[in-house]
């Protein structure tokens, strides 16, 4: 790899290593090109096979956090929705729910719209950058539930993650539920694969991933994933005006593997459930 060490990047043997510079807050979203390359083939990713279990757990967590399940009158926003797989499953399970998704990749949004038509479900998928969430989805809210899963929008930048979370809080109804999954920093540092790198100062993981697209095509992409300790995750949501009610370890396809408050060193991700306070801090409310 070539680029800048930044003074702290390390490989799996704890040796200094160079990586491409981490995209800045004003740079285009690097994951747009990945989504556009995959399009409808996104559903072939191994993690997409866990949608049913993940949705079952999400519905249970929402019900526990606010005292009632997701109902037909509710509006649910998926930030970084990919092809809308969670929303399509939700619309199937709860007919009439207002399911809204935002993703920066037109290719993934188009794939999700086509899949929704094929499945006969009603979802609204919009192309937009999560860093501008209030402008993209604000008029469709407020939402009873807002989530961002599997590093769809939160976890893509240590610089802009707080901004995305704050905007998720802003479009949620007071008392509404906000859920995020985040890459777990302790797992990331413990399990670097050959060729991966980790920055123990900024807690960012880098890898070059081979992604499969249409007609068996393959391309390699640079991926940067911000990772979190439980303490840092809770602080980020609290700073956005959210009351954290549940933190647990998880991995794709097994969101319900742990009980509330249980996090193991080998949990790849953290699942954080919060409620929006009645009033947000003034600098986060608009």
């Amino acid at each position: 790899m070539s680029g800048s060490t930044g003074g702290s990047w390390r490989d799996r043997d704890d040796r200094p290593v160079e990586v491409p510079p981490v995209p800045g807050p004003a740079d285009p979203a690097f994951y747009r090109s990945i989504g556009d390359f995959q399009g409808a083939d996104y559903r072939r990713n191994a993690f997409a096979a866990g949608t049913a279990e993940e949705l079952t757990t999400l519905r249970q967590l929402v019900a526990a956090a606010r005292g009632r399940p997701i109902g037909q009158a509710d509006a649910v926003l998926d930030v970084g929705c990919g092809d809308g797989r969670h929303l399509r499953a939700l619309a199937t399970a709860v007919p009439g729910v207002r399911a809204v998704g935002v993703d920066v990749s037109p290719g993934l949004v188009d794939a999700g719209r086509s899949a929704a038509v094929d499945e006969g479900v009603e979802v609204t998928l919009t192309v937009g950058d999560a860093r501008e969430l209030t402008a993209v989805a604000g008029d469709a809210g407020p939402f009873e539930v807002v989530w961002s899963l599997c590093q769809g929008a939160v976890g893509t930048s240590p610089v802009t993650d707080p901004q995305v979370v704050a905007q998720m809080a802003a479009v949620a109804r007071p008392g509404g539920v906000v859920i995020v999954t985040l890459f777990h920093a302790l797992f990331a540092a413990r399990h670097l694969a050959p060729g991966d790198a980790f920055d123990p100062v900024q807690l960012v993981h880098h890898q070059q991933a081979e992604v499969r697209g249409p007609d068996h095509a393959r391309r390699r992409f640079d991926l940067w994933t911000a990772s979190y300790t439980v303490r840092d995750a809770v602080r980020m949501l609290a700073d956005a005006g959210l009351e954290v009610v549940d933190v647990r370890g998880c991995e794709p396809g097994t969101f319900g593997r742990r009980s509330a408050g249980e996090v193991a060193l080998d949990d790849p991700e953290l699942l954080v459930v919060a409620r929006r306070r009645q009033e947000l801090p003034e600098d986060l409310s608009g």
Side-chain angles (χ1 to χ4, degrees), residues 224-250:
W224 296 266
T225 308
S227 61
Y228 292 84
T229 65
V230 171
R231 179 171 57 190
D232 290 341
V234 169
R235 180 181 298 124
M236 180 170 63
L237 270 70
D239 287 347
L242 297 167
E243 175 193 5
V244 174
V245 298
D246 188 348
V247 181
R248 59 184 69 196
C250 74

Side-chain angles (χ1 to χ4, degrees), residues 121-134:
V121 295
E122 184 88 20
V123 298
T124 301
L125 304 182
T126 301
V127 177
D129 194 312
R131 294 171 294 188
E132 302 170 355
L133 184 63
T134 52

Side-chain angles (χ1 to χ4, degrees), residues 101-116:
V102 172
D103 198 276
V104 74
S105 165
L108 288 180
V109 168
D110 287 345
R113 289 170 176 167
S114 295

Side-chain angles (χ1 to χ4, degrees), residues 245-268:
V245 298
D246 188 348
V247 181
R248 59 184 69 196
C250 74
E251 67 176 310
T254 56
F255 279 9
R257 68 185 293 178
R258 305 292 183 196
S259 58
E262 182 184 11
V263 179
L265 292 174
D266 278 341
D267 286 329

